[in-house]
Amino acid sequence: TKPIKKADLIRVLKDWLLPKEASTLKKKIKQKREKPKQKTPLIDADTFKDIKDLMENDFDNFIDAFLNNTEKYIDHIQKGYEFSDFEQIKNSAHPLKSSSASVGAAKLSKYVEKIENAAQKSEKEEIHINDLMIIFEETKTALTKTTDKKRSA
């Protein structure tokens, strides 16, 4: 005896009569809305080129300084990890994240951001120092190749 809205009636009938099709349709709609996750590149080519153009003749020294400072920050993160000193981890991860992004070391920056976020939540199990070291070594190799080419020319 209550007034029935046509849209509500259709929805209820679909749920009762076509539950599998309705859920499949919902999944298809959701999949179209979700963007596929892009893999973070080791080096962001555009940022790297911009910094290289900006630094000109000082580029090699800039990369050397970045790599030296990165090793120090990673050492501080590692020591913070050993002693569960999340404040030390955050204080080292934050500038490392920023400096990595500014030089174009995208994968390193993204990973250090995860470490910084885990440290903010005191989630030690989410901090993987070995993975950080691997990503840094990959980054170091890639960046060193660019400066070695220039030095040998």
Side-chain angles (χ1 to χ4, degrees):
T1 61
K2 292 182 181 180
I4 299 172
K5 294 181 182 175
K6 184 177 178 180
D8 291 338
L9 178 62
I10 291 171
R11 182 186 48 79
V12 170
L13 288 174
K14 282 184 179 179
D15 287 347
W16 284 351
L17 301 173
L18 308 168
K20 289 182 181 178
E21 289 180 28
S23 67
T24 302
L25 180 61
K26 287 178 186 176
K27 285 179 186 175
K28 285 181 181 178
I29 291 170
K30 186 177 178 182
Q31 287 172 348
K32 285 186 178 183
R33 286 185 195 153
E34 293 175 357
K35 295 180 181 177
K37 291 184 179 181
Q38 298 288 330
K39 186 176 177 182
T40 303
L42 183 63
I43 304 295
D44 179 282
D46 293 334
T47 303
F48 182 77
K49 183 186 177 317
D50 289 345
I51 198 71
K52 191 172 184 177
D53 292 345
L54 180 69
M55 296 305 296
E56 295 178 345
N57 294 335
D58 293 325
F59 179 73
D60 289 356
N61 293 333
F62 179 76
I63 293 299
D64 289 342
F66 166 76
L67 293 173
N68 289 331
N69 287 333
T70 298
E71 288 174 354
K72 291 175 188 172
Y73 285 129
I74 289 174
D75 185 53
H76 290 166
I77 291 170
Q78 192 167 14
K79 286 181 178 150
Y81 179 83
E82 289 171 12
F83 295 103
S84 296
D85 185 344
F86 297 108
E87 197 64 31
Q88 180 174 336
I89 295 170
K90 285 189 296 186
N91 290 339
S92 298
H94 184 76
L96 177 55
K97 173 188 71 175
S98 300
S99 62
S100 297
S102 67
V103 79
K107 188 173 182 180
L108 180 61
S109 178
K110 187 89 168 165
Y111 196 77
V112 173
E113 180 179 27
K114 289 179 185 178
I115 289 174
E116 181 183 21
N117 291 338
Q120 286 174 344
K121 298 174 188 172
S122 300
E123 295 176 339
K124 189 172 183 176
E125 67 280 359
E126 296 297 319
I127 300 171
H128 305 284
I129 300 297
N130 288 339
D131 292 343
L132 174 61
M133 297 299 293
I134 290 168
I135 294 168
F136 172 64
E137 288 301 322
E138 292 171 347
T139 302
K140 184 177 180 178
T141 299
L143 293 175
T144 303
K145 283 181 183 177
T146 64
T147 58
D148 286 345
K149 284 180 189 174
K150 191 174 179 183
R151 287 179 184 150
S152 62

